[in-house]
Amino acid sequence: MSAQNKFKYGLLALFVGAALTGCGLDGDDGAVGPAGAQGPQGEQGTPGQDGQNGTDASMGVSLSVVARAALNPSSPAGAAEIVQFHAATNTIYALNSATANPSVSFMSIAGLPTTAMADPINTVNLAPSNLALRTDVRGKTLVAANSIAISGDIMAVAMVPADKGTKGEVLFYNGLNGGTPNYVASVEVGYLPDMVTFTPDGSKLIVANEGEPRSDYSMDPEGSVSVIEILVNGSPESTADHITFTSYNDKKAELEAMGMHFPNPTGRTINGNAINTTVAQDLEPEYITASNTKAYVTLQENNGLAVVDLTDMTVTITGLGFKDWSDYMLDGTEDGTVSFGQYDDVYGMYQPDSIASYQWKGASFLVTANEGDAREYFFSATDEADCTAKGGQDWDDDDGCLAFSEETQARRLNFAPGSNLETIAGGDPEASNFMDFPLGRLTVTDALGDADGDGEYEALYAYGARSFTIWDTNGLVVFDSGDDFERITASVHGNAFNNDNDVNEGDSRSANKGPEPEALTVGKVGERTYAFIGLERMGGIFVYDITNPYNTQFVDYVFNRGLTEGATPTGDLAPEGMVFVPAANSPSGNALLVVGNEVSGTVTVWQIAQN
């Protein structure tokens, strides 16, 4: 049902309800009887003393840019991804993948100004230095750094070799307190370590090992979580504990019933490799938040969450279910304008990337940025015929032979004639009026939606939820920001909303994950707890008061980007990582939000002030 129809039916129901309120089947009321005598009155108590005047409640926070750095101005893409803050030396550390070899950039903010920059889009006032990372460990050549974590005097960096079929390493450095990080040791972890974090007490480092397959599926490693004990002298144990998911290999149907997603080419032969993917191979840990006893790990592509008990190294998995877009406004049409609608039979897979946690009433709550992610792998072939002979799914002149992709556009699926989905998505909007088939080019998975397997889809499942969500530790939704991100950015930017992160072309991401929330952190300012969510495509940052998860409130939306149509984007592009610095640890005495922007290669320091 269209948004307009829903609105009309809603008004009709309201008028009918109002009319029926005045109609009944009883006869007329009788005359009003005389008032009864007043009952006896007891003695009035002594008036109490006046209470003290209350203090003004906080009206939220305001953010302003006070410092920026450009890590590799001549080739910025990938120069600033994950960021960390070392409080003892007032130093920001950031992964820098734009250098010839993987490195970590670091910059002091000891003299951080407190006045907002006059021109934050074009100004830099921080001077970074680079630390080249160790790339030769145990005979492995490490080619990329994926994540960084700091605890006290220790820094840990997740490193991956060129071959996805070779296990990754975590490099450990100490000496941060003296301002000169020194290599200490490397510990082997699982395949493709994607994120590292310390427990709050610093006693353990936890690693999410994504375990992606080689592009031709000649090997598909199992996803896993590694736990490295940190000794009292600050050095790591020489080996890690590895938590795998093999105990769930026979539980795929149960996990799917909880709303998990398992897209893979099982049953096919690709480049001579017969594919039979297990659950443990399919699960790909992405991001972690931890207490001293539990680790919560997003399984992004699978739309799930793993909970690791750090006391006995056991793991449980829960599915996150799906978001029903008929309850919210959605722009799934890239027609250059704001084109919201409400649509039945359309769902979002939450598929969170970043995750954080905090406490309320002594209970833990989880906060996720619901980015969404599809699987797509290409391998080498000489031409289209060779690709077909090797069992490829498709041929692309730029990328080569497609081994596997679950991603498609809604118009390429089959729907029952005359059905709702055929009406809204069964044709190409660019071949007619855009609103004839408003969801025709919506990016969806072809692995969900055909429940009875008859070749006709009864539902569409899009990537991500275009929102952030607060969950309890049972995996239940406590709060979801719904359609806030799109509605608010559409109000602020008009047709320039849902922009991409490397071009200024408004509405260019509406059919594919929209604003794409990715970066996230949580912090306390005064007595209030706030969530900060970065939009990978638009570059803006949302702020919500989440002190009481059951009474979450939108606070602010800020951005530091030029949006002139057709011009090269300027400012901060693609926030990838965030870290919150509480006022007690800030050199300026004000709480800070440090953001690593992957496409612009900038590190930005936002000052957070209470209103």
Side-chain angles (χ1 to χ4, degrees):
M1 185 184 297
S2 69
Q4 293 86 351
N5 287 342
K6 285 194 173 187
F7 181 65
K8 290 176 182 176
Y9 285 129
L11 287 179
L12 179 60
L14 178 64
F15 291 140
V16 171
L20 290 177
T21 302
C23 300
L25 299 179
D26 296 335
D28 294 338
D29 292 339
V32 178
Q38 185 171 344
Q41 183 175 359
E43 295 182 2
Q44 186 173 356
T46 304
Q49 296 180 345
D50 291 340
Q52 295 180 347
N53 291 332
T55 57
D56 291 337
S58 169
M59 297 300 292
V61 294
S62 298
L63 277 68
S64 57
V65 177
V66 293
R68 289 177 80 237
L71 300 193
N72 198 40
S74 61
S75 180
E81 296 184 53
I82 307 304
V83 291
Q84 289 283 283
F85 180 69
H86 186 246
T89 58
N90 294 317
T91 302
I92 296 171
Y93 287 80
L95 285 185
N96 190 340
S97 300
T99 52
N101 293 309
S103 65
V104 171
S105 295
F106 55 98
M107 60 221 79
S108 172
I109 57 169
L112 187 72
T114 57
T115 303
M117 282 184 163
D119 182 16
I121 287 180
N122 300 301
T123 305
V124 294
N125 59 353
L126 298 178
S129 300
N130 281 343
L131 168 70
L133 295 169
R134 185 81 171 260
T135 57
D136 184 6
V137 176
R138 271 185 281 275
K140 304 174 187 178
T141 300
L142 307 175
V143 298
N146 276 352
S147 183
I148 181 176
I150 288 175
S151 177
D153 193 42
I154 311 170
M155 177 173 68
V157 186
M159 302 288 291
V160 297
D163 178 18
K164 290 182 179 179
T166 301
K167 288 186 175 181
E169 299 278 336
V170 172
L171 308 180
F172 286 87
Y173 291 78
N174 66 12
L176 274 66
N177 289 343
T180 56
N182 302 300
Y183 173 76
V184 174
S186 182
V187 179
E188 186 175 72
V189 290
Y191 297 94
L192 191 60
D194 199 45
M195 194 269 181
V196 291
T197 190
F198 285 95
T199 54
D201 64 5
S203 66
K204 296 177 178 67
L205 181 84
I206 309 167
V207 189
N209 304 302
E210 196 164 7
E212 288 183 352
R214 288 177 177 152
S215 59
D216 64 352
Y217 277 86
S218 58
M219 180 182 180
D220 187 356
E222 293 182 351
S224 64
V225 176
S226 297
V227 180
I228 302 171
E229 297 285 341
I230 307 300
L231 304 176
V232 291
N233 65 0
S235 61
E237 279 278 12
S238 58
T239 58
D241 292 315
H242 301 290
I243 294 97
T244 67
F245 303 104
T246 54
S247 61
Y248 284 89
N249 280 344
D250 61 350
K251 296 178 173 60
K252 181 179 176 183
E254 297 174 28
L255 296 175
E256 287 178 326
M258 290 192 292
M260 290 190 69
H261 179 47
F262 294 94
N264 59 67
T266 287
R268 290 175 49 201
T269 298
I270 302 173
N271 203 20
N273 306 302
I275 312 302
N276 184 21
T277 306
T278 67
V279 168
Q281 289 173 312
D282 205 301
L283 295 176
E284 297 182 355
E286 185 80 21
Y287 209 95
I288 312 165
T289 185
S291 68
N292 293 326
T293 58
K294 298 279 180 116
Y296 302 93
V297 187
T298 57
L299 306 171
Q300 183 175 25
E301 290 84 353
N302 305 103
N303 196 39
L305 177 74
V307 183
V308 177
D309 188 322
L310 297 175
T311 60
D312 60 12
M313 299 302 170
T314 57
V315 62
T316 57
I317 298 175
T318 185
L320 298 179
F322 307 106
K323 181 172 181 173
D324 188 345
W325 275 112
S326 69
D327 296 330
Y328 304 101
M329 302 299 289
L330 170 72
D331 188 340
T333 308
E334 292 174 4
D335 60 350
T337 66
V338 177
S339 306
F340 285 115
Q342 283 181 278
Y343 305 101
D344 293 329
D345 309 316
V346 181
Y347 300 89
M349 299 177 285
Y350 289 95
Q351 295 185 309
D353 186 336
S354 301
I355 184 171
S357 56
Y358 74 109
Q359 298 275 314
W360 181 71
K361 301 286 186 183
S364 293
F365 291 83
L366 309 175
V367 189
T368 61
N370 306 317
E371 178 196 22
D373 198 11
R375 285 183 177 153
E376 186 173 73
Y377 301 107
F378 290 87
F379 67 100
S380 297
T382 56
D383 53 28
E384 185 172 359
D386 185 41
C387 175
T388 301
K390 291 178 176 178
Q393 188 172 325
D394 197 5
W395 172 257
D396 186 280
D397 289 335
D398 295 322
D399 297 315
C401 189
L402 178 62
F404 172 74
S405 177
E406 59 165 317
E407 183 179 286
T408 189
Q409 291 183 347
R411 64 195 174 101
R412 298 194 177 110
L413 302 176
N414 295 319
F415 309 112
S419 66
N420 171 57
L421 289 182
E422 185 187 54
T423 301
I424 62 175
D428 185 354
E430 291 189 5
S432 57
N433 184 297
F434 265 99
M435 297 316 294
D436 286 347
F437 304 100
L439 300 188
R441 290 180 176 253
L442 182 68
T443 302
V444 297
T445 178
D446 63 9
L448 294 173
D450 180 10
D452 56 10
D454 66 352
E456 292 181 344
Y457 285 75
E458 303 85 28
L460 297 177
Y461 289 85
Y463 297 100
R466 308 189 185 202
S467 65
F468 90 99
T469 303
I470 302 176
W471 314 79
D472 67 16
T473 53
N474 303 307
L476 299 177
V477 174
V478 173
F479 170 83
D480 185 83
S481 61
D483 51 16
D484 281 8
F485 292 173
E486 281 195 288
R487 289 192 301 104
I488 292 171
T489 54
S491 297
V492 173
H493 303 299
N495 293 339
F497 92 128
N498 280 354
N499 228 305
D500 210 338
N501 53 28
D502 56 0
V503 295
N504 279 341
E505 182 182 351
D507 197 41
S508 59
R509 295 293 300 182
S510 289
N512 190 3
K513 296 185 281 188
E516 211 163 320
E518 178 173 18
L520 179 143
T521 192
V522 168
K524 196 168 184 179
V525 183
E527 297 301 314
R528 313 296 296 177
T529 303
Y530 296 91
F532 304 87
I533 308 99
L535 308 182
E536 181 180 4
R537 299 295 171 174
M538 279 301 306
I541 297 168
F542 275 90
V543 186
Y544 280 76
D545 186 330
I546 62 170
T547 307
N548 178 345
Y550 293 93
N551 187 28
T552 294
Q553 302 290 330
F554 166 68
V555 172
D556 203 0
Y557 168 68
V558 296
F559 60 97
N560 187 46
R561 169 184 177 167
L563 283 169
T564 302
E565 183 77 13
T568 301
T570 55
D572 296 326
L573 310 173
E576 176 81 9
M578 291 179 171
V579 63
F580 176 83
V581 180
N585 293 342
S586 167
S588 66
N590 299 309
L592 306 172
L593 180 68
V594 182
V595 183
N597 303 288
E598 182 182 15
V599 171
S600 58
T602 52
V603 173
T604 306
V605 182
W606 294 81
Q607 180 172 270
I608 307 169
Q610 286 182 271
N611 292 342

